[in-house]
Amino acid sequence: MCGIIGYVGDKQAAPFLLAGLKRLEYRGYDSSGIGIVDARTKSFDVRKINGKIANLENLIHSQPLCESSTGISHTRWATHGAPTRINAHPHVDTRKNILVVHNGIIENYESLREKLQSRGHRFVSQTDTEVVAQLIGEYYHPSRSSAKPEDLLAAVRKAVKQLKGAFALGVIAADQPGVLVAARVGSPLIIGLGRGEQFIASDVPAIFQHTKKIIYLKDGQMALLTPQCVQVSSFDGHKVQPKVDTVNLQIDAVQKQGFAHFMLKEIHEQPQVLKQMFQSRVKHGAVVLSGIHLTDQQLKNIKRILIVACGTAYHAGMVGKYIIESLANVPVSVDVSSEFRYRNPIIHQNDLVIAISQSGETADTLAAVKEAKARGAKILAICNVVGSSLAREADAILYTHAGPEIGVASTKAYTAQLYMLYLLSLKLGMARKQLNPQLGRKLLKGLKHIPVLYAKILSEKGSIAHIARANSHFGSFLFLGRNINYPSALEGALKLKEISYIPAEGYAAGEMKHGPIALIDEYRAVVCIAPESDTYEKMISNIQEIRSRKGKVIAIATDGDTTIKRHAPHVIYIPQTEKLLTPLLVALPLQLVAYYISVKRGCDVDQPRNLAKSVTVE
Ligand code: F6R
């Protein structure tokens, strides 16, 4: 959601910014823009446009930008105001001294706008961001002959103190080539340190080819960047000695590597991701979760677990409830993060809150975590992105290390979250002496074998593609599952709707007769998740109820199940595994069905409309 990149250095800024914007495309956006400082005229040269980055590239090709080594750029995901050229970033103040890019939401923008208008500022866009440019512009008026970097820093400092909400900002001044100011509250922003050049960005993939040295700016911090140095300070003006991290991202991780889409590549990466998780987390038959920072005694003392997450991560949390309760005998509640925060949650001593998030930047989950912390909870995060806001906010962290997920639809991050929840449940069950050691060993063996089973499913993906294409014309889908695969049904529906725009609902199969059955007719496709399980017979009854109402059934069943063929015209088989582990296997055909339907319908698989990879606004 909104991507920022900025540059000060000794090279041309525009090509760098354009290339960086392309690396941030995965975050989701609907317009983009670049603004640079023309050192000769002490003015800005700006290009903005709605739609894809390719449009911006074409615009710059037909109307080249001037030479400059100072600039900021942005991909905008519209919140305040339609995705038009005028509303695209960067935004300039009335006197055309200040240029700003912003990620987040300024909650008090209306009152600020009124005050600024009454003082003569003229607004041209509908955005909240424009107030930031105007506000900084109001405080920035050095005489043109003596403008100093500190003047811009001071103006930004005065402005940010008045802003409420979440923001990551990149700011440049027309009369100060070679100076860039950044500030952050709530929205992610990193600084890249180079030799004779410095960068700001929303995320590592935008700049990792230019530097591996990164500062993760913290909430309430700002930075002054010049080609030679970076100074970090608090909003109060105190100097800060920032921690410099070294990132270890390989170029392969952010390229399609011959796959048609990132989503397909990431689906194929799953066996390797899970294999690595097993190898690094299971030693001599025991689960080792070093990041958990809890002793066996503390794990024993846990009375209740509260899971908070959004979207796909929430579905992983729902599976987590089934497995933690059955293996560790701890009651678990699962909340959508945006609801948790406002429901006055009750938190007792010895409750553990687990926050699950791929990006670690989801504003709703961060807000839920802050709420839980304020109520005295200990937070354990399950997160993919190292150094993210969630990782810093949590008391303990379990990284899934699934590598960058570029496709907007979560695939490998989801199965890595599930896998981590299995490992955590086993660890909890063993530490609390609630888990039969024989069952523990069987499940560990099953988990070890999952990557091999994934490879088998992937080798048969042609038949899944065939079934998906044969059903891609349906105007709506229902996904049904029971027990531990009820969340799988929700996830299957989410995956399909987000990348193919087909209305799809997930339901607990037992609930079908309480309402959704009214929808069943020959125009409705129903995906019935029916692996070997204690509720298998009940699923078969559901399938019959659907068939007798002419619904089109696509079943997901276990290898060797010949009965199901009599009831369902399309069957996708998954290999045999422990019943408790089936959500891990079911996930794969659900991802592939969504993928092939999306491709068949000509949708933008990796960047579906209206969606953002990292949802940094509440
Ligand atoms: C769906 C999807 C979203 C995310 C959700 C939470 O495919 O990707 O539903 O799961 O926005 O994101 P994270 O995990 O980054 O907190």
Side-chain angles (χ1 to χ4, degrees):
M1 193 171 263
C2 296
I4 289 177
I5 314 184
Y7 179 85
V8 274
D10 50 7
K11 304 196 182 82
Q12 288 304 312
F16 166 83
L17 295 173
L18 201 53
L21 285 181
K22 285 187 194 159
R23 292 235 179 276
L24 290 182
E25 273 196 295
Y26 76 96
R27 293 173 69 86
Y29 69 101
D30 33 46
S31 57
S32 60
I34 290 185
I36 54 179
V37 178
D38 184 343
R40 284 174 309 110
T41 57
K42 295 200 169 166
S43 64
F44 297 122
D45 200 4
V46 176
R47 302 286 180 278
K48 319 200 270 189
I49 197 158
N50 55 340
K52 293 284 180 191
I53 305 273
N55 299 354
L56 184 65
E57 205 167 12
N58 290 339
L59 179 67
I60 293 174
H61 188 70
S62 59
Q63 297 168 32
L65 285 155
C66 68
E67 296 206 340
S68 169
S69 48
T70 307
I72 49 179
S73 62
H74 191 262
T75 48
R76 173 175 186 253
W77 187 87
T79 57
H80 298 64
T84 59
R85 190 188 68 77
I86 297 285
N87 288 332
H89 299 210
H91 287 282
V92 70
D93 71 319
T94 304
R95 290 189 292 153
K96 304 210 182 320
N97 278 338
I98 295 294
L99 201 64
V100 171
V101 287
H102 164 225
N103 174 9
I105 287 184
I106 307 299
E107 286 167 4
N108 58 337
Y109 85 100
E110 274 180 306
S111 59
L112 287 172
R113 189 178 168 120
E114 274 167 28
K115 281 185 208 153
L116 286 158
Q117 274 169 332
S118 70
R119 297 201 289 263
H121 296 266
R122 288 184 312 282
F123 283 77
V124 295
S125 80
Q126 298 154 304
T127 64
D128 52 339
T129 304
E130 201 179 349
V131 300
V132 184
Q134 301 286 14
L135 205 53
I136 299 171
E138 185 160 270
Y139 296 125
Y140 183 72
H141 28 72
S143 77
R144 288 214 160 211
S145 54
S146 65
K148 293 192 296 294
E150 290 71 24
D151 296 327
L152 181 60
L153 186 70
V156 176
R157 180 168 282 130
K158 276 190 189 160
V160 292
K161 285 186 182 167
Q162 296 185 43
L163 304 179
K164 289 199 182 116
F167 51 87
L169 298 174
V171 186
I172 53 178
D175 56 355
Q176 297 219 45
V179 179
L180 170 57
V181 172
R184 139 173 203 171
V185 172
S187 299
L189 197 64
I190 60 169
I191 296 169
L193 306 177
R195 283 216 187 112
E197 57 184 356
Q198 324 289 351
F199 322 90
I200 60 167
S202 296
D203 210 346
V204 174
I207 56 171
F208 81 100
Q209 280 177 287
H210 303 275
T211 179
K212 305 277 181 231
K213 302 267 173 243
I214 301 287
I215 296 170
Y216 292 91
L217 210 57
K218 293 187 182 156
D219 282 350
Q221 288 185 345
M222 54 199 303
L224 175 63
L225 290 82
T226 58
Q228 283 70 38
C229 73
V230 171
Q231 286 168 25
V232 180
S233 56
S234 67
F235 287 2
D236 297 338
H238 298 294
K239 285 232 158 67
V240 172
Q241 197 55 51
K243 181 166 171 280
V244 179
D245 283 286
T246 305
V247 291
N248 189 18
L249 191 61
Q250 302 302 318
I251 186 75
D252 293 2
V254 293
Q255 287 180 338
K256 286 189 201 150
Q257 297 279 296
F259 286 94
H261 298 96
F262 279 109
M263 182 178 176
L264 190 61
K265 175 189 175 227
E266 286 154 10
I267 287 174
H268 278 79
E269 283 171 348
Q270 292 175 108
Q272 191 53 28
V273 167
L274 302 189
K275 189 172 167 190
Q276 261 167 20
M277 277 178 90
F278 189 91
Q279 285 170 350
S280 61
R281 301 291 191 175
V282 181
K283 305 275 178 217
H284 311 296
V287 177
V288 182
L289 300 178
S290 29
I292 199 170
H293 298 322
L294 291 169
T295 62
D296 279 5
Q297 189 54 47
Q298 285 169 315
L299 293 176
K300 250 187 197 161
N301 291 344
I302 293 172
K303 291 271 179 298
R304 198 170 57 124
I305 290 176
L306 299 93
I307 297 180
V308 290
C310 302
T312 288
Y314 170 71
H315 299 151
M318 286 179 74
V319 177
K321 173 181 165 69
Y322 284 90
I323 48 183
I324 294 172
E325 289 186 345
S326 76
L327 299 181
N329 198 24
V330 192
V332 181
S333 67
V334 194
D335 274 82
V336 167
S337 306
S338 53
E339 288 298 316
F340 176 85
R341 185 181 175 194
Y342 296 106
R343 77 162 166 84
N344 195 14
I346 297 164
I347 292 177
H348 301 291
Q349 223 193 347
N350 295 329
D351 283 353
L352 176 69
V353 171
I354 302 180
I356 308 174
S357 172
Q358 187 284 129
S359 63
E361 300 297 348
T362 301
D364 287 324
T365 299
L366 288 170
V369 161
K370 283 182 187 145
E371 182 66 37
K373 272 181 100 171
R375 289 165 188 256
K378 283 269 164 283
I379 313 292
L380 169 64
I382 295 180
C383 183
N384 190 33
V385 177
V386 176
S388 60
S389 302
L390 177 62
R392 287 201 299 275
E393 197 69 46
D395 300 294
I397 173 109
L398 291 173
Y399 281 119
T400 48
H401 291 303
E405 195 177 59
I406 309 283
V408 161
S410 188
T411 52
K412 62 175 179 172
Y414 173 64
T415 47
Q417 288 161 353
L418 286 184
Y419 207 79
M420 185 58 84
L421 285 161
Y422 281 102
L423 293 173
L424 178 63
S425 309
L426 287 170
K427 172 90 187 159
L428 274 169
M430 287 174 192
R432 297 165 66 84
K433 306 222 179 322
Q434 296 290 327
L435 176 63
N436 173 326
Q438 205 186 343
L439 174 62
R441 279 194 294 277
K442 256 167 79 177
L443 288 171
L444 269 183
K445 202 170 152 203
L447 282 174
K448 186 175 182 186
H449 202 49
I450 289 285
V452 178
L453 304 183
Y454 267 41
K456 181 168 185 294
I457 298 174
L458 287 170
S459 72
E460 292 158 8
K461 65 175 192 278
S463 61
I464 300 178
H466 177 74
I467 292 176
R469 289 183 198 120
N471 289 283
S472 60
H473 61 284
F474 282 103
S476 65
F477 274 69
L478 189 63
F479 287 72
L480 300 178
R482 281 180 180 263
N483 197 262
I484 196 163
N485 279 306
Y486 160 44
S488 305
L490 299 181
E491 176 58 9
L494 176 64
K495 218 75 312 160
L496 182 67
K497 78 180 103 178
E498 67 183 336
I499 59 169
S500 72
Y501 319 140
I502 300 175
E505 279 184 278
Y507 257 95
E511 276 289 288
M512 186 178 73
K513 57 190 169 299
H514 298 290
I517 198 162
L519 299 172
I520 308 285
D521 60 17
E522 66 267 46
Y523 304 111
R524 168 83 62 161
V526 188
V527 177
C528 295
I529 302 169
E532 207 172 64
S533 74
D534 301 341
T535 53
Y536 175 77
E537 303 300 339
K538 296 231 168 353
M539 275 308 298
I540 294 294
S541 303
N542 288 131
I543 291 174
Q544 279 166 338
E545 286 156 13
I546 298 159
R547 294 273 286 156
S548 52
R549 286 161 184 83
K550 298 198 180 126
K552 298 291 177 282
V553 174
I554 302 161
I556 299 181
T558 307
D559 271 346
D561 178 352
T562 46
T563 317
I564 201 148
K565 276 206 158 146
R566 291 205 296 275
H567 307 290
H570 294 294
V571 183
I572 298 172
Y573 285 105
I574 54 166
Q576 293 209 324
T577 185
E578 296 298 327
K579 289 175 192 165
L580 206 59
L581 302 183
T582 52
L584 276 167
L585 291 191
V586 162
L588 201 42
L590 291 174
Q591 294 166 357
L592 288 166
V593 164
Y595 172 76
Y596 286 115
I597 291 181
S598 172
V599 173
K600 174 81 181 161
R601 292 172 72 108
C603 299
D604 189 345
V605 175
D606 285 334
Q607 292 163 29
R609 69 184 182 204
N610 304 338
L611 287 177
K613 184 71 190 160
S614 189
V615 185
T616 51
V617 295
E618 277 184 62

